Amino acid sequence: MTCRVQRAGAMALATFVLLVSMVVTATVAEPQKKKPAPKKPPAKKDEKKDEKALIAAGKKVYMANGCAACHVIAGQGGTSGPELTKIGADPKKRTTAFLKESIHNPKADSPDSSMPSYEETIKGKDLDALIAYLQSLK
């Protein structure tokens, strides 16, 4: 019986050593490589549609308020105001806040401007649309 007990003890010890060595190996082994961060999904079709619709609405605001009487875009319009063909080409300078201020208070950036303020005329969604249109001009 002592032989059986010794064998059972040896088996238990061997099993314990095997389990401990597996845990240590798993802990010390080379960690698994992290999965790369998921790529940002491309803009959804609806977002692109919304952006195109906003730009188109902005062009309508531009035309409805007579902006083309003074400003040129792609060779079309008046020449008494600054050309706007590529006004959106420098987004760091022509920020949303800058364009809003230029529309609502033209003299803020250009004290000699003859452009009237459109603060009471162009606001809300129309202002957002007009700015989106201007920022699209690159």
PDB file of all heavy atoms in Angstrom, residues 20-45:
ATOM      1  N   VAL A  20       2.318  24.081 -13.017  1.00  0.00           N
ATOM      2  CA  VAL A  20       3.079  25.278 -12.681  1.00  0.00           C
ATOM      3  C   VAL A  20       3.978  25.683 -13.846  1.00  0.00           C
ATOM      4  O   VAL A  20       4.076  26.858 -14.205  1.00  0.00           O
ATOM      5  CB  VAL A  20       3.898  25.064 -11.377  1.00  0.00           C
ATOM      6  CG1 VAL A  20       4.912  26.190 -11.165  1.00  0.00           C
ATOM      7  CG2 VAL A  20       2.964  24.964 -10.183  1.00  0.00           C
ATOM      8  N   SER A  21       4.638  24.702 -14.465  1.00  0.00           N
ATOM      9  CA  SER A  21       5.523  25.027 -15.597  1.00  0.00           C
ATOM     10  C   SER A  21       4.716  25.577 -16.777  1.00  0.00           C
ATOM     11  O   SER A  21       5.183  26.474 -17.492  1.00  0.00           O
ATOM     12  CB  SER A  21       6.356  23.817 -16.009  1.00  0.00           C
ATOM     13  OG  SER A  21       5.530  22.801 -16.538  1.00  0.00           O
ATOM     14  N   MET A  22       3.512  25.112 -16.986  1.00  0.00           N
ATOM     15  CA  MET A  22       2.677  25.633 -18.073  1.00  0.00           C
ATOM     16  C   MET A  22       2.276  27.082 -17.788  1.00  0.00           C
ATOM     17  O   MET A  22       2.309  27.935 -18.683  1.00  0.00           O
ATOM     18  CB  MET A  22       1.425  24.750 -18.251  1.00  0.00           C
ATOM     19  CG  MET A  22       1.729  23.401 -18.865  1.00  0.00           C
ATOM     20  SD  MET A  22       0.315  22.284 -18.905  1.00  0.00           S
ATOM     21  CE  MET A  22      -0.810  23.144 -19.937  1.00  0.00           C
ATOM     22  N   VAL A  23       1.920  27.388 -16.563  1.00  0.00           N
ATOM     23  CA  VAL A  23       1.535  28.748 -16.185  1.00  0.00           C
ATOM     24  C   VAL A  23       2.723  29.689 -16.330  1.00  0.00           C
ATOM     25  O   VAL A  23       2.619  30.788 -16.873  1.00  0.00           O
ATOM     26  CB  VAL A  23       0.957  28.780 -14.752  1.00  0.00           C
ATOM     27  CG1 VAL A  23       0.812  30.209 -14.254  1.00  0.00           C
ATOM     28  CG2 VAL A  23      -0.366  28.047 -14.697  1.00  0.00           C
ATOM     29  N   VAL A  24       3.892  29.244 -15.849  1.00  0.00           N
ATOM     30  CA  VAL A  24       5.092  30.076 -15.950  1.00  0.00           C
ATOM     31  C   VAL A  24       5.449  30.297 -17.411  1.00  0.00           C
ATOM     32  O   VAL A  24       5.762  31.417 -17.828  1.00  0.00           O
ATOM     33  CB  VAL A  24       6.270  29.435 -15.174  1.00  0.00           C
ATOM     34  CG1 VAL A  24       7.589  30.119 -15.496  1.00  0.00           C
ATOM     35  CG2 VAL A  24       5.995  29.471 -13.680  1.00  0.00           C
ATOM     36  N   THR A  25       5.397  29.269 -18.229  1.00  0.00           N
ATOM     37  CA  THR A  25       5.715  29.392 -19.650  1.00  0.00           C
ATOM     38  C   THR A  25       4.753  30.356 -20.334  1.00  0.00           C
ATOM     39  O   THR A  25       5.168  31.215 -21.114  1.00  0.00           O
ATOM     40  CB  THR A  25       5.651  28.016 -20.342  1.00  0.00           C
ATOM     41  OG1 THR A  25       6.561  27.133 -19.688  1.00  0.00           O
ATOM     42  CG2 THR A  25       5.994  28.124 -21.815  1.00  0.00           C
ATOM     43  N   ALA A  26       3.499  30.250 -20.029  1.00  0.00           N
ATOM     44  CA  ALA A  26       2.508  31.136 -20.646  1.00  0.00           C
ATOM     45  C   ALA A  26       2.715  32.574 -20.220  1.00  0.00           C
ATOM     46  O   ALA A  26       2.528  33.508 -20.999  1.00  0.00           O
ATOM     47  CB  ALA A  26       1.098  30.674 -20.279  1.00  0.00           C
ATOM     48  N   THR A  27       3.141  32.775 -18.995  1.00  0.00           N
ATOM     49  CA  THR A  27       3.356  34.120 -18.481  1.00  0.00           C
ATOM     50  C   THR A  27       4.628  34.741 -19.041  1.00  0.00           C
ATOM     51  O   THR A  27       4.667  35.917 -19.395  1.00  0.00           O
ATOM     52  CB  THR A  27       3.443  34.097 -16.936  1.00  0.00           C
ATOM     53  OG1 THR A  27       2.285  33.465 -16.426  1.00  0.00           O
ATOM     54  CG2 THR A  27       3.550  35.501 -16.381  1.00  0.00           C
ATOM     55  N   VAL A  28       5.676  33.959 -19.165  1.00  0.00           N
ATOM     56  CA  VAL A  28       6.977  34.465 -19.591  1.00  0.00           C
ATOM     57  C   VAL A  28       7.096  34.482 -21.113  1.00  0.00           C
ATOM     58  O   VAL A  28       7.864  35.264 -21.671  1.00  0.00           O
ATOM     59  CB  VAL A  28       8.108  33.602 -18.972  1.00  0.00           C
ATOM     60  CG1 VAL A  28       9.468  34.009 -19.484  1.00  0.00           C
ATOM     61  CG2 VAL A  28       8.050  33.690 -17.466  1.00  0.00           C
ATOM     62  N   ALA A  29       6.347  33.658 -21.777  1.00  0.00           N
ATOM     63  CA  ALA A  29       6.453  33.554 -23.236  1.00  0.00           C
ATOM     64  C   ALA A  29       6.189  34.893 -23.895  1.00  0.00           C
ATOM     65  O   ALA A  29       5.617  35.805 -23.304  1.00  0.00           O
ATOM     66  CB  ALA A  29       5.456  32.515 -23.743  1.00  0.00           C
ATOM     67  N   GLU A  30       6.601  35.021 -25.144  1.00  0.00           N
ATOM     68  CA  GLU A  30       6.432  36.267 -25.900  1.00  0.00           C
ATOM     69  C   GLU A  30       4.952  36.642 -25.931  1.00  0.00           C
ATOM     70  O   GLU A  30       4.099  35.836 -26.283  1.00  0.00           O
ATOM     71  CB  GLU A  30       6.931  36.071 -27.329  1.00  0.00           C
ATOM     72  CG  GLU A  30       6.874  37.313 -28.160  1.00  0.00           C
ATOM     73  CD  GLU A  30       7.432  37.093 -29.557  1.00  0.00           C
ATOM     74  OE1 GLU A  30       8.388  36.339 -29.718  1.00  0.00           O
ATOM     75  OE2 GLU A  30       6.878  37.681 -30.480  1.00  0.00           O
ATOM     76  N   PRO A  31       4.675  37.879 -25.540  1.00  0.00           N
ATOM     77  CA  PRO A  31       3.266  38.292 -25.551  1.00  0.00           C
ATOM     78  C   PRO A  31       2.734  38.332 -26.981  1.00  0.00           C
ATOM     79  O   PRO A  31       3.480  38.561 -27.930  1.00  0.00           O
ATOM     80  CB  PRO A  31       3.295  39.692 -24.936  1.00  0.00           C
ATOM     81  CG  PRO A  31       4.693  40.156 -25.073  1.00  0.00           C
ATOM     82  CD  PRO A  31       5.564  38.933 -25.141  1.00  0.00           C
ATOM     83  N   GLN A  32       1.458  38.116 -27.097  1.00  0.00           N
ATOM     84  CA  GLN A  32       0.845  38.162 -28.416  1.00  0.00           C
ATOM     85  C   GLN A  32       0.870  39.580 -28.934  1.00  0.00           C
ATOM     86  O   GLN A  32       0.737  40.537 -28.186  1.00  0.00           O
ATOM     87  CB  GLN A  32      -0.599  37.662 -28.342  1.00  0.00           C
ATOM     88  CG  GLN A  32      -0.702  36.204 -28.001  1.00  0.00           C
ATOM     89  CD  GLN A  32      -2.141  35.738 -27.959  1.00  0.00           C
ATOM     90  OE1 GLN A  32      -3.064  36.517 -28.118  1.00  0.00           O
ATOM     91  NE2 GLN A  32      -2.341  34.455 -27.731  1.00  0.00           N
ATOM     92  N   LYS A  33       1.065  39.695 -30.238  1.00  0.00           N
ATOM     93  CA  LYS A  33       1.066  41.021 -30.858  1.00  0.00           C
ATOM     94  C   LYS A  33      -0.332  41.605 -30.778  1.00  0.00           C
ATOM     95  O   LYS A  33      -1.322  40.908 -30.953  1.00  0.00           O
ATOM     96  CB  LYS A  33       1.521  40.936 -32.311  1.00  0.00           C
ATOM     97  CG  LYS A  33       2.967  40.530 -32.442  1.00  0.00           C
ATOM     98  CD  LYS A  33       3.386  40.499 -33.885  1.00  0.00           C
ATOM     99  CE  LYS A  33       4.838  40.085 -34.010  1.00  0.00           C
ATOM    100  NZ  LYS A  33       5.263  40.007 -35.399  1.00  0.00           N
ATOM    101  N   LYS A  34      -0.358  42.923 -30.507  1.00  0.00           N
ATOM    102  CA  LYS A  34      -1.638  43.601 -30.450  1.00  0.00           C
ATOM    103  C   LYS A  34      -2.213  43.725 -31.850  1.00  0.00           C
ATOM    104  O   LYS A  34      -1.472  43.918 -32.816  1.00  0.00           O
ATOM    105  CB  LYS A  34      -1.485  44.999 -29.851  1.00  0.00           C
ATOM    106  CG  LYS A  34      -1.112  44.994 -28.405  1.00  0.00           C
ATOM    107  CD  LYS A  34      -1.007  46.413 -27.877  1.00  0.00           C
ATOM    108  CE  LYS A  34      -0.619  46.426 -26.421  1.00  0.00           C
ATOM    109  NZ  LYS A  34      -0.491  47.792 -25.911  1.00  0.00           N
ATOM    110  N   LYS A  35      -3.481  43.628 -31.930  1.00  0.00           N
ATOM    111  CA  LYS A  35      -4.144  43.828 -33.212  1.00  0.00           C
ATOM    112  C   LYS A  35      -4.063  45.304 -33.561  1.00  0.00           C
ATOM    113  O   LYS A  35      -4.192  46.159 -32.691  1.00  0.00           O
ATOM    114  CB  LYS A  35      -5.608  43.395 -33.147  1.00  0.00           C
ATOM    115  CG  LYS A  35      -5.789  41.918 -32.957  1.00  0.00           C
ATOM    116  CD  LYS A  35      -7.256  41.557 -32.916  1.00  0.00           C
ATOM    117  CE  LYS A  35      -7.450  40.073 -32.704  1.00  0.00           C
ATOM    118  NZ  LYS A  35      -8.863  39.712 -32.616  1.00  0.00           N
ATOM    119  N   PRO A  36      -3.838  45.619 -34.831  1.00  0.00           N
ATOM    120  CA  PRO A  36      -3.798  47.038 -35.192  1.00  0.00           C
ATOM    121  C   PRO A  36      -5.152  47.679 -34.936  1.00  0.00           C
ATOM    122  O   PRO A  36      -6.193  47.036 -35.003  1.00  0.00           O
ATOM    123  CB  PRO A  36      -3.463  47.028 -36.692  1.00  0.00           C
ATOM    124  CG  PRO A  36      -3.811  45.651 -37.159  1.00  0.00           C
ATOM    125  CD  PRO A  36      -3.680  44.747 -35.972  1.00  0.00           C
ATOM    126  N   ALA A  37      -5.094  48.959 -34.614  1.00  0.00           N
ATOM    127  CA  ALA A  37      -6.336  49.691 -34.374  1.00  0.00           C
ATOM    128  C   ALA A  37      -7.191  49.632 -35.635  1.00  0.00           C
ATOM    129  O   ALA A  37      -6.665  49.699 -36.750  1.00  0.00           O
ATOM    130  CB  ALA A  37      -6.035  51.129 -34.012  1.00  0.00           C
ATOM    131  N   PRO A  38      -8.482  49.497 -35.464  1.00  0.00           N
ATOM    132  CA  PRO A  38      -9.337  49.445 -36.650  1.00  0.00           C
ATOM    133  C   PRO A  38      -9.235  50.744 -37.439  1.00  0.00           C
ATOM    134  O   PRO A  38      -9.134  51.824 -36.875  1.00  0.00           O
ATOM    135  CB  PRO A  38     -10.748  49.251 -36.090  1.00  0.00           C
ATOM    136  CG  PRO A  38     -10.657  49.604 -34.645  1.00  0.00           C
ATOM    137  CD  PRO A  38      -9.223  49.444 -34.233  1.00  0.00           C
ATOM    138  N   LYS A  39      -9.198  50.592 -38.746  1.00  0.00           N
ATOM    139  CA  LYS A  39      -9.117  51.770 -39.604  1.00  0.00           C
ATOM    140  C   LYS A  39     -10.417  52.544 -39.522  1.00  0.00           C
ATOM    141  O   LYS A  39     -11.486  51.975 -39.361  1.00  0.00           O
ATOM    142  CB  LYS A  39      -8.858  51.358 -41.055  1.00  0.00           C
ATOM    143  CG  LYS A  39      -7.494  50.749 -41.258  1.00  0.00           C
ATOM    144  CD  LYS A  39      -7.265  50.392 -42.708  1.00  0.00           C
ATOM    145  CE  LYS A  39      -5.898  49.788 -42.905  1.00  0.00           C
ATOM    146  NZ  LYS A  39      -5.678  49.390 -44.290  1.00  0.00           N
ATOM    147  N   LYS A  40     -10.276  53.861 -39.639  1.00  0.00           N
ATOM    148  CA  LYS A  40     -11.451  54.711 -39.628  1.00  0.00           C
ATOM    149  C   LYS A  40     -12.262  54.396 -40.879  1.00  0.00           C
ATOM    150  O   LYS A  40     -11.723  54.420 -41.986  1.00  0.00           O
ATOM    151  CB  LYS A  40     -11.020  56.182 -39.626  1.00  0.00           C
ATOM    152  CG  LYS A  40     -12.151  57.143 -39.486  1.00  0.00           C
ATOM    153  CD  LYS A  40     -11.643  58.569 -39.425  1.00  0.00           C
ATOM    154  CE  LYS A  40     -12.780  59.544 -39.307  1.00  0.00           C
ATOM    155  NZ  LYS A  40     -12.306  60.922 -39.299  1.00  0.00           N
ATOM    156  N   PRO A  41     -13.517  54.070 -40.700  1.00  0.00           N
ATOM    157  CA  PRO A  41     -14.306  53.721 -41.887  1.00  0.00           C
ATOM    158  C   PRO A  41     -14.448  54.935 -42.803  1.00  0.00           C
ATOM    159  O   PRO A  41     -14.484  56.072 -42.340  1.00  0.00           O
ATOM    160  CB  PRO A  41     -15.665  53.311 -41.316  1.00  0.00           C
ATOM    161  CG  PRO A  41     -15.720  53.933 -39.966  1.00  0.00           C
ATOM    162  CD  PRO A  41     -14.303  54.064 -39.493  1.00  0.00           C
ATOM    163  N   PRO A  42     -14.468  54.680 -44.099  1.00  0.00           N
ATOM    164  CA  PRO A  42     -14.651  55.809 -45.016  1.00  0.00           C
ATOM    165  C   PRO A  42     -16.003  56.464 -44.767  1.00  0.00           C
ATOM    166  O   PRO A  42     -16.913  55.851 -44.207  1.00  0.00           O
ATOM    167  CB  PRO A  42     -14.605  55.160 -46.406  1.00  0.00           C
ATOM    168  CG  PRO A  42     -14.863  53.710 -46.184  1.00  0.00           C
ATOM    169  CD  PRO A  42     -14.434  53.400 -44.768  1.00  0.00           C
ATOM    170  N   ALA A  43     -16.073  57.713 -45.153  1.00  0.00           N
ATOM    171  CA  ALA A  43     -17.331  58.444 -44.956  1.00  0.00           C
ATOM    172  C   ALA A  43     -18.469  57.658 -45.596  1.00  0.00           C
ATOM    173  O   ALA A  43     -18.343  57.135 -46.699  1.00  0.00           O
ATOM    174  CB  ALA A  43     -17.233  59.828 -45.564  1.00  0.00           C
ATOM    175  N   LYS A  44     -19.545  57.580 -44.885  1.00  0.00           N
ATOM    176  CA  LYS A  44     -20.692  56.849 -45.399  1.00  0.00           C
ATOM    177  C   LYS A  44     -21.312  57.617 -46.551  1.00  0.00           C
ATOM    178  O   LYS A  44     -21.185  58.824 -46.657  1.00  0.00           O
ATOM    179  CB  LYS A  44     -21.716  56.655 -44.279  1.00  0.00           C
ATOM    180  CG  LYS A  44     -21.201  55.783 -43.166  1.00  0.00           C
ATOM    181  CD  LYS A  44     -22.233  55.655 -42.073  1.00  0.00           C
ATOM    182  CE  LYS A  44     -21.678  54.826 -40.929  1.00  0.00           C
ATOM    183  NZ  LYS A  44     -22.597  54.761 -39.808  1.00  0.00           N
ATOM    184  N   LYS A  45     -21.980  56.886 -47.400  1.00  0.00           N
ATOM    185  CA  LYS A  45     -22.628  57.509 -48.553  1.00  0.00           C
ATOM    186  C   LYS A  45     -23.596  58.603 -48.117  1.00  0.00           C
ATOM    187  O   LYS A  45     -23.682  59.641 -48.756  1.00  0.00           O
ATOM    188  CB  LYS A  45     -23.345  56.454 -49.388  1.00  0.00           C
ATOM    189  CG  LYS A  45     -22.401  55.541 -50.135  1.00  0.00           C
ATOM    190  CD  LYS A  45     -23.150  54.532 -50.959  1.00  0.00           C
ATOM    191  CE  LYS A  45     -22.179  53.584 -51.650  1.00  0.00           C
ATOM    192  NZ  LYS A  45     -22.867  52.575 -52.435  1.00  0.00           N
TER     193      LYS A  45
END
